[in-house]
């Protein structure tokens, strides 16, 4: 029997679900849905690697909640996105369930919801909390606005990486790019398009593929990058299959999906870059200075140099990929 908070609430009879579609919003692949009737479950996700895993597992998939009886908000780390998901759930379901870890701020969200709704049923377990309530218009002001242009001049929205400011590492990499770049370029983990704009501003670029796993970021990138040389891919950069090898790649790879750093993510990006580049291909990459990528770089490329950086970041230039 499962020990998850959701299963406990259902198995103990504390929580009863209405019959109909159950939309589970942004669950990680480890999220336990075993207590739910499988035929009623719809996974709503915007993060491509997780989307694909749930899809391969045979679940009905969607990118937005629509006409559900129950919406389960699996709390993300970003508070603005968490609030927007709750407002979206209230607009499209009858019963709202919020489930999350303390490290992701579930207690703070629970407190905010109680301020508006009063006492709410709740279970605390396994370093987290689950609570629920009937749909309400009390959270209308939490609805996410459409992507907006910030002071930095780019469109961003709640839930995208570095939505409030230009990432310092990306800015450093953009400054370090040469005046002329190879013809066929790619940006792995392109985000909302900051590096893409820098690449397209260099001489020699004939095409640029933006490869990004977060659908919210892809939507913003399409607003920020209107150059006809750009192509957009909602995809996992690590698994991406290109129709032809690239001449050059830029990237600022992620190094965590939870609060803990995971250098293996960056290593996987480096290996993907080597796989996607032509034999004459070149890589420009920025990374946090403390992350140990040098071994993977030298295993993946014959020539590796650190061409810049500061106390927080280092910029790699690598050529002659090894497969």
């Amino acid at each position: 029997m499962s020990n998850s908070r959701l299963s406990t609430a259902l198995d103990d009879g504390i929580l009863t679900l209405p019959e109909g579609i159950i939309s589970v919003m942004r669950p990680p692949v480890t999220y336990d849905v075993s207590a739910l009737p499988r035929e009623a479950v719809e996974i709503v996700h915007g993060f491509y690697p997780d989307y694909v895993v749930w899809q391969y597992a045979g679940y009905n998939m969607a990118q937005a909640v629509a006409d559900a009886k129950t919406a389960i908000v699996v709390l993300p780390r970003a508070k603005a996105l968490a609030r927007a998901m709750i407002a979206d759930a209230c607009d499209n379901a009858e019963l709202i369930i919020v489930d999350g870890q303390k490290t992701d701020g579930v207690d703070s969200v629970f407190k905010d919801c109680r301020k508006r709704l009063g006492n709410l049923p709740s279970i605390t377990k396994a370093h987290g909390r689950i609570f629920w309530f009937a749909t309400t218009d009390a959270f209308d002001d939490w609805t996410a606005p459409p992507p907006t242009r910030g002071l930095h001049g780019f469109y961003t929205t709640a839930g995208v990486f570095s939505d409030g400011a230009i990432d310092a590492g990306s800015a450093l990499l953009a400054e370090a790019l040469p005046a002329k770049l190879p013809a066929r370029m790619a940006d792995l983990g392109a985000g909302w398009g900051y590096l893409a704009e820098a690449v397209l501003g260099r001489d020699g670029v004939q095409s640029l593929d933006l490869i990004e796993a977060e659908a919210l970021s892809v939507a913003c990138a399409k607003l920020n990058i209107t150059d006809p040389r750009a192509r957009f891919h909602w995809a996992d950069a690590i698994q991406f299959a290109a129709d032809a090898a690239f001449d050059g790649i830029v990237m600022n790879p992620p190094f965590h999906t939870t609060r803990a750093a995971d250098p293996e993510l960056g290593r996987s990006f480096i290996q993907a870059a080597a796989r996607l580049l032509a034999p004459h291909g070149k890589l420009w990459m920025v990374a946090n200075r403390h992350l140990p990528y040098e071994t993977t770089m030298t295993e993946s490329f014959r020539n590796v140099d650190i061409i810049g950086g500061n106390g927080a970041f280092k910029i790699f230039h690598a050529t002659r990929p090894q497969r």
Side-chain angles (χ1 to χ4, degrees), residues 26-87:
R26 286 187 172 263
V29 295
T30 56
Y31 190 74
D32 179 19
V33 296
S34 61
L36 303 176
R38 187 184 180 98
E39 68 280 2
V41 172
E42 178 181 75
I43 304 296
V44 179
H45 229 304
F47 185 59
Y48 190 82
D50 287 355
Y51 184 101
V52 169
V53 172
W54 288 107
Q55 185 179 50
Y56 283 172
Y59 286 93
N60 294 324
M61 304 299 300
Q63 288 191 42
V65 182
D67 300 324
K69 289 294 184 179
T70 302
I72 302 175
V73 177
V74 184
L75 213 67
R77 289 188 298 144
K79 188 170 185 178
L81 179 58
R83 289 185 168 191
M85 289 170 62
I86 290 171

Side-chain angles (χ1 to χ4, degrees), residues 182-188 240 242 244-251 269-285 297 300-303 317-323:
R184 179 173 163 79
M185 295 289 298
D187 182 354
L188 304 190
F240 185 71
F246 296 109
D247 302 316
I249 287 176
V250 297
M251 63 185 191
F269 265 69
I270 294 166
Q271 292 162 351
R275 173 178 58 83
L276 290 167
L277 282 167
H280 61 269
K282 301 176 181 181
L283 170 67
W284 290 267
M285 183 186 84
M297 289 290 288
S300 302
F301 294 87
R302 289 185 175 87
N303 302 321
H317 179 231
T319 61
R320 301 184 66 191
Q322 304 184 91
R323 295 172 178 83

Side-chain angles (χ1 to χ4, degrees), residues 304-323:
V304 179
D305 296 297
I306 294 179
I307 60 171
N310 56 26
F313 301 99
K314 51 193 172 184
I315 298 175
F316 292 94
H317 179 231
T319 61
R320 301 184 66 191
Q322 304 184 91
R323 295 172 178 83

Side-chain angles (χ1 to χ4, degrees), residues 28-286:
V29 295
T30 56
Y31 190 74
D32 179 19
V33 296
S34 61
L36 303 176
R38 187 184 180 98
E39 68 280 2
V41 172
E42 178 181 75
I43 304 296
V44 179
H45 229 304
F47 185 59
Y48 190 82
D50 287 355
Y51 184 101
V52 169
V53 172
W54 288 107
Q55 185 179 50
Y56 283 172
Y59 286 93
N60 294 324
M61 304 299 300
Q63 288 191 42
V65 182
D67 300 324
K69 289 294 184 179
T70 302
I72 302 175
V73 177
V74 184
L75 213 67
R77 289 188 298 144
K79 188 170 185 178
L81 179 58
R83 289 185 168 191
M85 289 170 62
I86 290 171
D88 187 31
C90 287
D91 285 341
N92 293 283
E94 297 178 4
L95 174 66
I96 316 303
I97 301 170
V98 181
D99 191 6
Q101 295 298 110
K102 290 184 177 181
T103 52
D104 290 335
V106 69
D107 287 340
S108 175
V109 173
F110 179 58
K111 182 179 179 180
D112 291 342
C113 290
R114 289 185 66 191
K115 285 181 180 178
R116 300 185 179 210
L117 302 179
N119 289 332
L120 297 173
S122 168
I123 295 173
T124 56
K125 185 175 184 178
H127 309 291
R129 181 187 297 273
I130 189 170
F131 63 95
W132 55 93
F133 52 88
T135 188
T136 173
D137 60 5
F139 303 106
D140 284 354
D141 60 318
W142 285 6
T143 300
T148 55
R149 192 190 296 270
L151 295 176
H152 44 50
F154 293 89
Y155 287 95
T156 62
T157 192
V160 303
F161 171 70
S162 190
D163 62 331
I166 294 169
D167 176 68
S170 293
L172 200 66
L173 177 55
E175 292 175 0
L177 294 176
K180 185 175 182 179
L181 287 171
R184 179 173 163 79
M185 295 289 298
D187 182 354
L188 304 190
W192 42 259
Y194 175 77
L195 277 176
E197 183 181 72
V199 169
L200 290 167
R202 289 338 196 243
D203 292 336
V205 178
Q206 297 178 10
S207 66
L208 172 64
D209 286 56
L210 288 78
I211 303 156
E212 169 56 42
E214 175 51 59
L216 293 170
S217 296
V218 175
C220 290
K222 289 179 178 180
L223 294 174
N224 292 321
I225 307 299
T226 58
D227 192 305
R229 293 173 293 170
R231 296 195 303 173
F232 303 87
H233 307 272
W234 181 49
D236 181 358
I238 294 171
Q239 302 294 333
F240 185 71
D243 52 12
F246 296 109
D247 302 316
I249 287 176
V250 297
M251 63 185 191
N252 180 2
F255 60 91
H256 60 76
T257 53
T258 64
R259 291 191 181 272
D262 180 10
E264 191 58 37
L265 273 174
R267 295 188 186 105
S268 296
F269 265 69
I270 294 166
Q271 292 162 351
R275 173 178 58 83
L276 290 167
L277 282 167
H280 61 269
K282 301 176 181 181
L283 170 67
W284 290 267
M285 183 186 84
V286 64

